[in-house]
Amino acid sequence: MADQPKPISPLKNLLAGGFGGVCLVFVGHPLDTVKVRLQTQPPSLPGQPPMYSGTFDCFRKTLFREGITGLYRGMAAPIIGVTPMFAVCFFGFGLGKKLQQKHPEDVLSYPQLFAAGMLSGVFTTGIMTPGERIKCLLQIQASSGESKYTGTLDCAKKLYQEFGIRGIYKGTVLTLMRAPPGKYPNGFRDVLRELIRDEGVTSLYKGFNAVMIRAFPANAACFLGFEVAMKFLNWATPNL
């Protein structure tokens, strides 16, 4: 007799998604550091080579100058922020699917899965921005030689002291990487205009290789961690 379909458990999705988020951060953070440093390196002077010539050059120089810990600079912020983000993401996705099922054996259509995915995005917005902002500030600080922030909590505290809650939620990843306070009053539009004017359209794709290389192992680790955690939860707490 075939196994009966198990009801979708949003709580199990929450726990397994959190573990998947940990796996993604641990595997993907080194190349995320490379990506951020490529995107935020200062323009080179006329006749001078850039600080980093590409993905592998940035990886090599970071490893040589700072050791393996340099590649994991600022990881506490995404562990604190991205891990619950993925937990909430999978929770929202599981809840979205459950809300559209009349019976556990119902197979959802692609539009229904799309709607469930949209619901998961709503849940993650408030968690994602602060973690990304703090992570990028710490990664940039390490490569520039500054020492304004001593760590994740210190960065969050100083952002709040200087700008209030808006300082922690200020901007997206796109504006943050090239948006010192007051320089871009119109946000994304000013950043986009300056980048294209000064460096051309290719500047919008800085760090592309690092992102693509990171995507495969990081997302594989995330979903593998999710599935392993889900199997364990189904074994340990079948009625949860």
Side-chain angles (χ1 to χ4, degrees):
M1 183 175 180
D3 292 337
Q4 293 296 318
K6 295 181 179 180
I8 294 171
S9 170
L11 180 57
K12 285 183 180 178
N13 277 274
L14 179 74
L15 298 174
F19 184 73
V22 171
C23 295
L24 180 142
V25 171
F26 184 78
V27 173
H29 194 79
L31 283 169
D32 186 78
T33 298
V34 171
K35 177 205 69 173
V36 171
R37 292 187 175 184
L38 286 172
Q39 291 174 325
T40 57
Q41 64 178 319
S44 58
L45 298 173
Q48 297 293 323
M51 181 182 296
Y52 306 115
S53 61
T55 299
F56 294 105
D57 182 56
C58 181
F59 185 93
R60 180 179 60 82
K61 288 179 178 177
T62 300
L63 190 62
F64 178 76
R65 293 170 182 169
E66 305 172 49
I68 191 68
T69 56
L71 295 169
Y72 282 93
R73 193 79 61 188
M75 190 177 73
I79 286 289
I80 295 170
V82 174
T83 300
M85 183 193 78
F86 272 87
V88 172
C89 178
F90 280 102
F91 169 81
F93 185 62
L95 181 62
K97 291 192 294 184
K98 188 172 184 178
L99 290 173
Q100 298 179 89
Q101 284 182 316
K102 294 181 179 179
H103 305 285
E105 64 272 13
D106 289 348
V107 177
L108 298 181
S109 64
Y110 289 120
Q112 287 176 314
L113 290 173
F114 181 80
M118 291 179 64
L119 182 62
S120 73
V122 173
F123 280 89
T124 61
T125 302
I127 298 175
M128 183 176 181
T129 302
E132 283 293 321
R133 176 155 171 76
I134 293 168
K135 170 184 70 71
C136 290
L137 285 174
L138 291 174
Q139 288 171 325
I140 294 166
Q141 170 183 272
S143 63
S144 64
E146 298 177 358
S147 57
K148 183 177 181 180
Y149 310 113
T150 59
T152 300
L153 295 178
D154 182 59
C155 182
K157 182 178 72 174
K158 287 180 178 176
L159 282 174
Y160 182 78
Q161 289 174 343
E162 291 180 36
F163 307 107
I165 192 66
R166 293 180 62 185
I168 298 176
Y169 279 89
K170 183 177 180 180
T172 64
V173 177
L174 289 174
T175 57
L176 168 65
M177 291 179 181
R178 299 161 186 87
K183 184 175 180 181
Y184 303 113
N186 295 317
F188 174 74
R189 288 178 298 171
D190 284 353
V191 177
L192 183 64
R193 188 182 303 114
E194 180 179 302
L195 282 173
I196 294 178
R197 184 192 66 218
D198 295 345
E199 304 177 50
V201 176
T202 57
S203 65
L204 301 176
Y205 291 89
K206 280 184 179 179
F208 178 81
N209 290 338
V211 172
M212 291 302 295
I213 295 171
R214 172 185 178 272
F216 293 99
N219 287 287
C222 176
F223 283 98
L224 176 63
F226 174 81
E227 291 295 335
V228 169
M230 185 62 76
K231 286 182 181 295
F232 173 78
L233 290 171
N234 286 334
W235 171 78
T237 56
N239 298 319
L240 182 63

